[in-house]
Amino acid sequence: MKRYLAALLCVVSAAAAHAQNTPAGIAGNNGAPFQNVSELKLPAGAKAAVFEFEDMECPACARTFPIVHAAVAHYKIPLIRHDFPWSFHEWSMNAAVTARFIQDQISPQLADTFRRDLFANQNRIESKDELARFTREWFASHHENLPFVMDASGRCRNEVQSDKALGDHLNVQATPCVIVVTRSSWVSVPYANIAELDHIVGQAIDEAHAPAMTTRRSQGVRP
């Protein structure tokens, strides 16, 4: 029942976000309610990137994870991930802090593996205690030392909270929140259309090389 309610909350949040109008100053993009999109900066040298805000306890994020990774691998573009733990999810903040600890202290690649494995086992984790047990077993199976106190300095939690603050500033209202950004435009990808992400990324890249008026067709224009 808890897993069903979590999925329902994510779906309701996504529907509410899709229904809202674009604020003044942001053009088109099918009514996506984002603000301050110019803060999503492309890495140096990148022509496009996928930005994602995810909650590790969100079932929709678990289903989106492999689709996003397949798309960025296909087009060889960066994935800029931001954690966005919802307050109504019991253990998502702790999971995000653990993933960030692995990213900062061990390796980004292993952090991706932790996220992938956690999403694959998400429906078996119903509490913080079960998350702690999963984390212990995961560290042992990957021959890594589990710290006695995860993130004792609080640095990783601060990084996650900074991600959450950025999402709030952008007016993120649902997870997963996936935005394809090029040098000239951006387009959000609703969860209902996430299976089409590979095509959407390809189209965005093609339109980024087209004449300027083409890129304004249905996307937000970057300031």
Side-chain angles (χ1 to χ4, degrees), residues 31-165:
F34 301 118
Q35 304 177 53
N36 308 303
V37 179
S38 60
E39 295 186 19
L40 300 181
K41 305 292 187 183
L42 289 177
K47 296 180 179 179
V50 173
F51 289 77
E52 180 181 16
F53 290 82
E54 74 177 15
D55 176 297
M56 296 183 69
E57 198 172 341
C58 168
C61 292
R63 290 188 285 272
T64 297
F65 185 93
I67 297 172
V68 169
H69 280 72
V72 298
H74 180 191
Y75 291 100
K76 297 180 174 58
I77 61 174
L79 168 61
I80 314 299
R81 179 194 295 110
H82 295 284
D83 286 297
F84 197 81
W86 292 105
S87 60
F88 53 78
H89 280 160
E90 180 180 349
W91 52 261
S92 61
M93 172 60 82
N94 287 4
V97 169
T98 298
R100 194 61 62 95
F101 177 87
I102 297 170
Q103 177 179 319
D104 292 352
Q105 301 298 322
I106 305 176
S107 81
Q109 293 75 22
L110 197 60
D112 268 352
T113 300
F114 175 78
R115 290 176 186 271
R116 180 180 293 108
D117 292 344
L118 189 147
F119 278 137
N121 291 275
Q122 189 188 67
N123 60 1
R124 297 169 46 201
I125 303 172
E126 297 289 344
S127 67
K128 291 181 180 179
D129 287 343
E130 290 178 3
L131 173 66
R133 180 165 56 252
F134 170 85
T135 302
R136 287 195 301 271
E137 293 172 355
W138 189 92
F139 268 74
S141 68
H142 288 81
H143 309 290
E144 297 291 342
N145 293 322
L146 179 69
F148 181 71
V149 177
M150 184 67 68
D151 187 35
S153 70
R155 173 184 172 183
C156 297
R157 181 173 292 268
N158 288 339
E159 291 175 353
V160 172
Q161 289 174 336
S162 179
D163 275 1
K164 180 64 165 59

